[in-house]
């Protein structure tokens, strides 16, 4: 890996303190950082390097509750960290920033390879690149080192704003320099979808409309919006989770195998899935999209605030904290197979999983005894927690007769002691440092995905009376979501959309 300087804009923000710095520290501990490497934190406040290091240390202790040994190691890691104050909207402020970068390159003997990370509010995505350009800090040439920029979602607020943002970014950087991070793609278990599908003989042959009845993609959380009301109330579940994370999970589940595995081929296949999403009319949206918002409740954990009581949230807010949706992919492989996606805040548990429901056999020979035996065969890709893969299938209940019971075979990553995970941000930061853009989202993917989901946002905007169902915080979301699944699929009495497979045990 080339030696380089990582510049983090938004250096005193939450994401930097909670995610980026701990992930970089993880890479440091594992000896995975470049030999010569420095981090330059950039924000408005006027800190000295030492003050900034103290601030990071306090945050590290607060958020990760480390052992004494880790605190000492973190102290060593902080020697790689520097700070520069910059008023991002003031073009003059970029000159001292440039000088600081040059001075660091010289004194630390690091070539001028710069990786910029925008951990800032999205409003600055259009400002900072222009500031960098004005100082020539964007250009790669035979004489300069590399210049890459990583940006965090949201990539636009809808299709139009995404296109506008891309225009600005493309006015400064080449596509090959832009790394749009979607931390779901950094998760090992998400990458494992590709290995499961494309490195095993048994699954791929069945991976199509002839054998699969439906696919469910779930990413639910038992957390509230955690003090992010200002952001979340303008975003909602569709923008926060669906257009990006859930769309990626659908893409990886549905894509065709690329002929070779590299950034271009892989990302071409992702875009083709988005292009094949069947566009929805207003009527389709009314029939296939259910949104909800959590209400105040009392659960075993205690009193839960309703969404509208959260700080920074409008008292009459109609922002969705839950979304369930049925979509179709119009291509040869998936024609007619519904994909059910859902996400929600303040649900009973935190789980992200993909469930592939295989078609039941045409003729039922044996008696069903309990949950799941009519449509016995399922493949569950557990993204988190309990990272792993589970296959559910029917087995004979011992004794007389031929009754079927649903059994399962489990693979859990945690049972393989030699596997060690690095977290999603560490993996993606490493890829950014190495210039591997495979797991980053390309402009056309963002726009194609937006083109599909935009119609939902437009209808909500046009019809403020579009139903928004309440669900008590800590429950499985609005009952209305169950109606998305046709009665004929209720082959499993324990299963419905307001529950997850995790809890569908006998
Ligand atoms: C983020 C969303 O992108 O993903 C959050 O902004 C959400 O609202 C988070 O909580 C979920 O990520 P994970 O990795 O915890 O499933």
């Amino acid at each position: 890996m080339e030696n380089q300087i990582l510049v983090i804009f938004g250096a005193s923000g939450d994401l930097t303190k909670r995610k980026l710095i701990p992930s970089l520290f993880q890479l440091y501990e594992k000896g995975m950082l470049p030999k010569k490497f420095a981090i330059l934190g950039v924000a408005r406040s006027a800190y000295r390097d030492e003050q900034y290091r103290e601030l990071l240390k306090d945050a590290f202790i607060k958020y990760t509750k480390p052992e004494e040994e880790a605190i000492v190691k973190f102290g060593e890691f902080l020697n790689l960290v520097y700070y520069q104050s910059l008023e991002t909207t003031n073009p003059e402020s970029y000159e001292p920033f440039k000088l600081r970068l040059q001075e660091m390159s010289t004194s630390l003997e690091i070539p001028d390879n710069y990786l910029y990370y925008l951990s800032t509010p999205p409003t600055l995505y259009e400002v900072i690149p222009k500031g960098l350009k004005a100082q020539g800090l964007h250009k790669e040439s035979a004489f300069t080192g590399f210049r890459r920029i990583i940006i965090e979602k949201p990539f636009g607020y809808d299709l139009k704003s995404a296109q506008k943002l891309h225009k600005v970014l493309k006015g400064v950087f080449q596509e090959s320099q832009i790394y749009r991070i979607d931390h779901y793609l950094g998760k090992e278990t998400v990458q494992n979808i590709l290995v499961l599908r494309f490195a095993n003989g048994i699954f791929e042959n069945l991976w199509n409309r002839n054998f699969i009845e439906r696919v469910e993609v779930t990413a639910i959380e038992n957390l509230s919006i955690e003090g992010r009301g200002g952001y979340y109330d303008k975003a909602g579940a569709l923008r926060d989770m669906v257009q990006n994370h859930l769309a990626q999970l659908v893409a990886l589940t549905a894509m065709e195998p690329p002929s070779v595995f590299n950034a271009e081929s892989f990302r071409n296949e992702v875009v083709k899935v988005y292009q094949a999403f069947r566009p929805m009319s207003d009527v389709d949206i009314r029939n296939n999209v259910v949104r909800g918002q959590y209400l105040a409740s009392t659960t075993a954990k205690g009193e839960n605030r309703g969404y509208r009581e959260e700080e920074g949230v409008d008292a009459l807010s109609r922002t969705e904290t839950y979304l369930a949706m049925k979509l179709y992919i119009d291509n040869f492989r998936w024609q007619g197979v519904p994909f059910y996606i859902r996400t929600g805040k303040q649900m009973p548990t935190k789980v992200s999983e993909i469930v592939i429901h295989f078609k039941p056999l045409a003729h039922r020979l044996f008696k069903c005894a309990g949950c799941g035996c009519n449509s016995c065969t399922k493949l569950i890709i557990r993204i988190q927690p309990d990272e792993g893969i589970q296959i559910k299938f029917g087995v004979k209940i011992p004794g007389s007769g031929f009754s079927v019971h649903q059994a399962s075979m489990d693979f859990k990553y945690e049972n393989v002691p030699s596997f060690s995970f690095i977290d999603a941000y560490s993996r993606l930061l490493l890829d950014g440092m190495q210039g591997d853009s495979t797991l980053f989202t390309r402009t056309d993917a963002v726009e194609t995905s937006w083109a599909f989901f935009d119609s939902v946002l437009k209808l909500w905007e046009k019809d403020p009376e579009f139903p928004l169902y309440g669900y008590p915080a800590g429950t499985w979301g609005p009952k209305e979501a169950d109606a998305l699944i046709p009665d004929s699929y209720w082959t499993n009495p324990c299963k419905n959309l307001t529950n997850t497979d995790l809890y569908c045990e006998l």
Side-chain angles (χ1 to χ4, degrees):
M1 204 189 326
E2 290 179 78
N3 295 328
Q4 56 195 279
I5 298 178
L6 169 67
V7 181
I8 303 179
F9 291 92
S12 47
D14 230 34
L15 179 72
T16 304
K17 290 190 285 196
R18 278 180 194 246
K19 295 275 186 198
L20 303 184
I21 292 295
S23 300
L24 287 161
F25 175 55
Q26 192 179 43
L27 294 176
Y28 172 79
E29 274 189 305
K30 290 183 182 286
M32 293 167 98
L33 291 174
K35 247 195 192 129
K36 291 197 171 185
F37 178 70
I39 300 166
L40 179 62
V42 176
R44 190 186 304 159
S45 316
Y47 299 124
R48 290 191 308 278
D49 291 343
E50 263 323 309
Q51 284 174 308
Y52 181 58
R53 289 173 185 163
E54 274 307 306
L55 186 136
L56 293 184
K57 190 170 166 192
D58 292 347
F60 178 69
I61 293 170
K62 178 170 163 202
Y63 296 126
T64 54
K65 314 231 168 344
E67 307 269 315
E68 196 49 45
E69 205 183 320
I71 300 179
V72 174
K73 198 98 205 197
F74 190 77
E76 289 166 20
F77 160 77
L78 284 177
N79 291 328
L80 301 177
V81 179
Y82 300 81
Y83 182 83
Q84 172 71 29
S85 130
L86 181 141
E87 182 57 68
T88 42
T89 50
N90 175 6
E92 281 167 22
S93 206
Y94 288 82
E95 205 183 329
F97 163 70
K98 180 182 179 177
L99 293 175
R100 181 76 197 270
L101 266 180
Q102 287 169 343
E103 178 269 314
M104 280 174 67
S105 281
T106 314
S107 62
L108 302 170
E109 296 176 358
I110 303 179
D112 60 344
N113 290 319
Y114 303 144
L115 176 61
Y116 308 116
Y117 198 118
L118 303 198
S119 169
T120 63
T123 41
L124 295 178
Y125 294 176
E126 301 187 9
V127 176
I128 295 171
K130 287 182 185 162
L132 295 172
K133 185 178 179 179
Q135 295 297 328
L137 284 168
H138 64 305
K139 239 199 248 150
E140 295 180 320
S141 73
F143 309 106
T144 59
F146 68 68
R147 308 279 184 264
R148 297 179 195 135
I149 185 160
I150 302 184
I151 61 170
E152 271 285 337
K153 71 166 231 302
F155 313 126
Y157 187 70
D158 54 14
L159 177 60
K160 209 166 140 207
S161 54
Q163 285 167 331
K164 183 168 167 260
L165 168 65
H166 295 155
K167 211 168 150 206
V168 173
L169 286 172
K170 294 276 188 83
V172 178
F173 295 101
Q174 309 283 325
E175 177 73 39
S176 60
Q177 296 174 277
I178 305 171
Y179 291 67
R180 287 181 200 80
I181 211 165
D182 177 327
H183 79 280
Y184 262 60
L185 275 183
K187 292 181 191 279
E188 280 296 339
T189 37
V190 172
Q191 294 159 30
N192 190 45
I193 301 170
L194 300 176
V195 174
L196 177 80
R197 290 189 54 199
F198 304 141
N200 290 295
I202 54 171
F203 300 114
E204 198 48 27
N205 297 324
L206 306 177
W207 211 263
N208 58 54
R209 62 189 302 271
N210 297 321
F211 298 96
I212 292 176
E213 181 191 67
R214 68 184 196 269
V215 177
E216 288 171 28
V217 178
T218 300
I220 55 172
E221 297 175 90
N222 49 2
L223 301 170
S224 69
I225 51 164
E226 296 200 294
R228 294 157 76 215
Y231 151 76
Y232 197 89
D233 208 33
K234 291 194 195 70
L238 191 147
R239 292 186 176 95
D240 187 49
M241 291 291 290
V242 177
Q243 183 272 335
N244 31 63
H245 305 326
L246 290 185
Q248 291 279 9
L249 295 182
V250 172
L252 266 60
T253 308
M255 68 190 274
E256 294 302 316
S259 52
V260 286
F261 196 71
N262 61 33
E264 266 334 88
S265 322
F266 166 68
R267 298 193 299 175
N268 287 345
E269 296 306 331
V270 168
V271 173
K272 285 186 207 162
V273 176
Y274 296 155
Q275 285 167 341
F277 281 173
R278 183 185 299 169
M280 292 191 291
S281 66
D282 287 0
V283 174
D284 295 332
I285 296 171
R286 287 183 198 283
N287 291 334
N288 295 331
V289 179
V290 174
R291 60 176 181 167
Q293 191 185 78
Y294 64 80
L295 307 170
S297 71
T298 309
T299 57
K301 282 196 315 197
E303 301 281 313
N304 303 301
R305 238 186 276 165
Y307 176 70
R308 291 180 184 178
E309 282 102 60
E310 300 280 10
E311 208 186 310
V313 170
D314 190 310
L316 296 175
S317 171
R318 290 186 65 78
T319 298
E320 78 289 356
T321 61
Y322 173 95
L323 188 110
M325 172 172 191
K326 174 164 77 168
L327 61 87
Y328 287 95
I329 298 175
D330 279 340
N331 61 20
F332 278 123
R333 189 189 281 262
W334 295 113
Q335 192 54 242
V337 179
F339 281 69
Y340 295 94
I341 59 180
R342 69 178 152 169
T343 185
K345 297 270 184 204
Q346 283 292 33
M347 315 228 40
T349 186
K350 179 166 171 78
V351 58
S352 300
E353 65 180 16
I354 299 165
V355 185
I356 313 289
H357 293 259
F358 289 93
K359 286 187 171 169
L361 289 169
H363 176 56
R364 198 179 303 149
L365 206 53
F366 304 116
K367 216 170 77 206
C368 168
C371 174
C373 51
N374 286 346
S375 113
C376 287
T377 326
K378 280 185 231 182
L379 175 71
I380 301 169
I381 303 171
R382 179 82 30 80
I383 289 158
Q384 58 192 23
D386 302 333
E387 289 81 356
I389 292 162
Q390 192 177 42
I391 299 181
K392 295 202 172 187
F393 54 99
V395 294
K396 181 181 175 301
I397 297 180
S400 63
F402 279 86
S403 293
V404 184
H405 168 75
Q406 192 181 60
S408 69
M409 261 183 337
D410 272 317
F411 160 72
K412 287 192 181 177
Y413 270 92
E414 69 179 22
N415 292 341
V416 187
S418 58
F419 285 177
S420 87
F421 274 72
I422 57 170
D423 81 18
Y425 272 97
S426 303
R427 164 68 201 255
L428 293 172
L429 279 162
L430 201 59
D431 284 2
M433 290 178 204
Q434 285 172 325
D436 180 353
S437 55
T438 310
L439 299 176
F440 294 84
T441 315
R442 218 168 52 187
T443 307
D444 52 349
V446 178
E447 292 186 4
T448 322
S449 158
W450 264 130
F452 175 74
F453 291 106
D454 217 32
S455 58
V456 179
L457 294 174
K458 290 243 167 66
L459 179 61
W460 289 350
E461 215 176 275
K462 196 167 76 187
D463 177 12
E465 296 305 308
F466 190 101
L468 171 74
Y469 301 106
Y471 62 97
T475 64
W476 289 103
K479 291 271 169 284
E480 286 75 4
D482 290 348
L484 291 178
I485 294 200
D487 286 347
S488 59
Y489 283 175
W490 293 117
T491 46
N492 177 346
C494 306
K495 178 82 181 80
N496 53 43
L497 250 197
T498 49
N499 202 335
T500 92
D501 259 290
L502 194 59
Y503 297 91
C504 182
E505 303 293 350
L506 274 180

